Amino acid sequence: MPRRVAETPTGNHPADPSAPCDAPHQTPRTDPTRPTGQVLTPYRRLLTTPGARAFTAGNLVARLPSGMFGVSAVIMIAGARGSYALAGAVTATGLAATALVGPWTARLIDRYGQSRIAVPAALTAALGSLALLLCVHFDTPDWTLFAAYAATATTPNTGGMSRARWAHLHRDDPAALHTANSFEQAADELCFMLGPVVAAFLCSALFPEAGTLVGAFLLVTGVLVFAAQRATEPPATPRTTRTRSPVRHPGFPALLAVFLATGAVFGAMEVTTIAFADAHGHRSASGVVLALQAAGSGAAGLLYGAVPPARNVQRRLLCCLAAMTVLMTGPLVAAWATGSLLVLAGSLLFAGAATAPTMVTGMTLVQRLTPAGQLNEGMTLAVTAILGGIAAGSATAGWVVEHTGAVSGYAVPTSAAALALLLCAATHRSRRG
């Protein structure tokens, strides 16, 4: 996701993410305790941007499967093969493949445009999902599950493409871009909130493969609608021989390490919660329980978007990660002390409150560190790091659950959150030094 001065997508922010931001002087200070109608005013204003509602609608449809595929695959594979370790390893393989392929797909999007690349990429990913469905249904050897799920690596980063459109439309308005980033994070949480619920319901009420089948259909449909909105699409930026990957710019590798650890929180929490619900005889309720974490994050994200942008973004990220580490101990304590799925659900609701502010702040840093014309690639690298973390967290949690039980699995996301905090703190101290 070495240069002397970075040109940022907004055109207004300094390249140094820890430098003071001028945005608070350009927009009135917002009181987070004001009435809900006033809190939502920036979002209403944002959606009046010409063409915004059309590409947002298509993007939401395309993004919903992102919350469905993982849960669908775990339920489908664990139900058919009787192993959460295998299910976690297969999903981890798919995410690891996405981590390798995703940046190249995003680079093609930056170079040739969203419409030309996103549609064939989505079709290829949908075929991979259907191949996994057939392998599970016809009881093919285990290695075929890994190969089929790896084919989903071409899934386009629809959230990143949407953020790139906002950055293009509001490149001269930092306050509007902050609201747009918060809106996109809330949309992510909405999809991750509804996705597991829809997936768990379809897999339980219809047949185990239903979640994957519906997810593939929604992905292709949403990308087709999104790509059709050409008026808001950022212009393509042809590559030159001197163009360098965002990873080679100062501060970007350290930020990717923080995203990697943060992704492990999400992957471990998902696998552990499904296993915990299954151990208590309520596998179909796992989607609802996971949705509560996303609900808490989505609500926090909307509130976060109504406050002014941070003056010191890196310091705020450090504070957000500290809050996440503290709140992630809640599910561990709830599972260990009570063993109640209901109490666990409540703890996940509170645990999600720090997720959206952390991701919004992290994506703001990504936008400031990424050169103009490479925003899709920069944000996809960030998402790739998250997916890599999800893969590692899923595999680790699956192994822990398999050998020590579901309760012990909640130690994995707590430890991952603490690791992200330590990495961010080390980077912050290094920059200050």
Side-chain angles (χ1 to χ4, degrees):
M1 299 129 221
R3 52 191 171 142
R4 290 180 295 175
V5 179
E7 180 182 0
T8 64
T10 62
N12 289 290
H13 294 298
D16 184 358
S18 63
C21 171
D22 61 350
H25 301 289
Q26 298 180 11
T27 184
R29 189 163 281 280
T30 305
D31 180 6
T33 62
R34 63 186 178 175
T36 303
Q38 295 182 13
V39 171
L40 296 179
T41 297
Y43 297 100
R44 295 193 185 100
R45 187 179 301 117
L46 186 71
L47 292 176
T48 60
T49 305
R53 295 182 180 181
F55 81 73
T56 298
N59 190 268
L60 287 175
V61 174
R63 210 183 304 188
L64 181 62
S66 62
M68 296 177 60
F69 284 135
V71 173
S72 298
V74 170
I75 293 176
M76 182 171 61
I77 296 172
R81 305 296 171 93
S83 173
Y84 279 104
L86 175 62
V90 170
T91 56
T93 299
L95 292 174
T98 302
L100 295 175
V101 177
W104 294 99
T105 304
R107 181 173 294 187
L108 292 174
I109 289 174
D110 281 326
R111 184 173 181 178
Y112 297 107
Q114 295 181 353
S115 301
R116 292 181 62 183
I117 302 300
V119 173
L123 289 172
T124 303
L127 290 176
S129 296
L130 295 178
L132 175 67
L133 182 153
L134 294 174
C135 289
V136 174
H137 183 73
F138 291 105
D139 196 26
T140 60
D142 288 351
W143 67 266
T144 61
L145 306 183
F146 292 90
Y149 206 61
T152 64
T154 61
T155 302
N157 178 16
T158 53
M161 291 192 296
S162 186
R163 288 178 173 90
R165 293 198 180 207
W166 290 120
H168 170 66
L169 295 172
H170 297 290
R171 54 191 174 276
D172 297 322
D173 190 347
L177 187 55
H178 170 73
T179 302
N181 285 335
S182 299
F183 172 77
E184 289 299 324
Q185 188 59 40
D188 279 339
E189 301 301 340
L190 175 65
C191 293
F192 278 104
M193 178 177 66
L194 296 179
V197 177
V198 174
F201 172 77
L202 291 173
C203 293
S204 302
L206 299 180
F207 47 90
E209 299 88 353
T212 299
L213 185 63
V214 172
F217 172 78
L218 292 177
L219 173 64
V220 174
T221 302
V223 169
L224 287 173
V225 174
F226 178 83
Q229 313 308 315
R230 302 295 296 271
T232 55
E233 181 177 344
T237 306
R239 288 258 169 170
T240 66
T241 56
R242 294 179 296 177
T243 301
R244 295 178 296 181
S245 170
V247 175
R248 300 181 61 184
H249 291 272
F252 212 96
L255 183 58
L256 292 182
V258 173
F259 277 123
L260 184 69
T262 305
V265 176
F266 307 145
M269 187 67 72
E270 181 176 283
V271 172
T272 304
T273 300
I274 293 174
F276 186 87
D278 189 19
H280 288 74
H282 300 288
R283 178 190 291 183
S284 60
S286 59
V288 177
V289 176
L290 287 170
L292 288 175
Q293 180 186 359
S297 181
L302 289 175
L303 291 174
Y304 186 69
V307 302
R311 296 180 64 87
N312 188 317
V313 184
Q314 194 167 27
R315 183 180 301 169
R316 182 174 289 188
L317 179 61
L318 187 64
C319 295
C320 290
L321 287 169
M324 175 183 284
T325 302
V326 173
L327 292 175
M328 282 297 163
T329 61
L332 175 61
V333 173
W336 175 75
T338 69
S340 169
L341 189 62
L342 183 62
V343 175
L344 175 67
S347 68
L348 286 174
L349 178 65
F350 286 103
T355 301
T358 299
M359 298 307 300
V360 171
T361 307
M363 285 298 178
T364 300
L365 280 174
V366 170
Q367 291 175 347
R368 295 188 183 188
L369 292 170
T370 303
Q374 294 179 267
L375 195 54
N376 281 297
E377 184 179 355
M379 287 188 292
T380 299
L381 284 168
V383 173
T384 295
I386 295 173
L387 293 177
I390 292 175
S394 298
T396 303
W399 186 92
V400 171
V401 167
E402 191 86 3
H403 292 83
T404 64
V407 174
S408 300
Y410 283 109
V412 179
T414 304
S415 301
L419 177 60
L421 174 61
L422 291 175
L423 290 170
C424 185
T427 303
H428 186 58
R429 284 196 300 269
S430 175
R431 293 188 68 86
R432 291 184 64 183

